[in-house]
């Protein structure tokens, strides 16, 4: 993909979100969040609701009810599709003595407290 803003169809967005070439899991997570954010911005327009619902109904399996989906969608729609997000990458991780990656809560907690207090 070329740098900059791109208009993608579903297949291109899926490739963009899933690709592992030339990046790591953290960068892939950031791309996945970009795709979800872009989709939420498209859902501001009610004309996009039916096509998205059809695609989700065809390709997604969930136990969420229509009421659940509306409850999840309302905050996104009320905020004009803008989501505040944080990609947990290497800057937010520390290594354990056993070599496991663990969250470094010192930089994460201020972000969380700013949203949930």
């Amino acid at each position: 993909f070329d740098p900059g803003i791109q208009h993608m169809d579903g297949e291109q967005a899926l490739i963009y979100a899933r690709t592992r070439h030339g990046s790591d899991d953290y960068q892939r997570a950031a791309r996945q969040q970009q795709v979800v954010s872009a989709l939420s911005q498209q859902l501001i327009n009610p004309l996009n609701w039916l096509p998205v619902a059809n695609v989700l109904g065809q390709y997604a399996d969930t136990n969420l009810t229509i009421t659940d989906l509306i409850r999840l969608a309302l905050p996104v729609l009320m905020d004009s599709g803008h989501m505040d997000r944080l990609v947990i990458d290497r800057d937010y991780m520390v290594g354990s003595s056993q070599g496991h990656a663990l969250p470094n809560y010192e930089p994460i907690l201020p972000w969380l407290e700013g949203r949930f207090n």
Side-chain angles (χ1 to χ4, degrees):
F1 295 94
D2 293 327
I5 296 174
Q6 304 285 321
H7 180 80
M8 300 180 184
D9 62 22
E11 187 175 337
Q12 291 169 318
L14 191 59
I15 292 168
Y16 176 74
R18 286 185 173 174
T19 189
R20 295 175 184 262
H21 182 70
S23 66
D24 60 22
D25 285 343
Y26 302 110
Q27 292 166 324
R28 192 173 78 247
R31 288 191 303 275
Q32 291 167 352
Q33 287 187 17
Q34 285 176 328
V35 169
V36 170
S37 180
L39 174 61
S40 71
Q41 289 179 16
Q42 293 297 314
L43 291 176
I44 295 167
N45 182 347
L47 296 176
N48 292 329
W49 295 356
L50 186 57
V52 169
N54 287 334
V55 169
L56 289 175
Q58 186 176 0
Y59 294 103
D61 184 29
T62 182
N63 63 354
L64 294 173
T65 66
I66 294 296
T67 304
D68 294 332
L69 293 172
I70 291 170
R71 282 187 187 140
L72 290 169
L74 281 176
V76 172
L77 296 173
M78 290 173 54
D79 198 22
S80 302
H82 294 96
M83 292 189 280
D84 198 5
R85 56 192 172 96
L86 174 69
V87 177
I88 303 295
D89 62 17
R90 285 184 174 81
D91 295 335
Y92 295 96
M93 305 300 288
V94 293
S96 73
S97 58
Q98 294 86 18
H100 302 114
L102 300 171
N104 179 359
Y105 288 105
E106 187 176 334
I108 296 171
L109 282 176
W111 188 89
L112 290 171
E113 289 168 351
R115 278 130 196 101
F116 295 104
N117 274 342

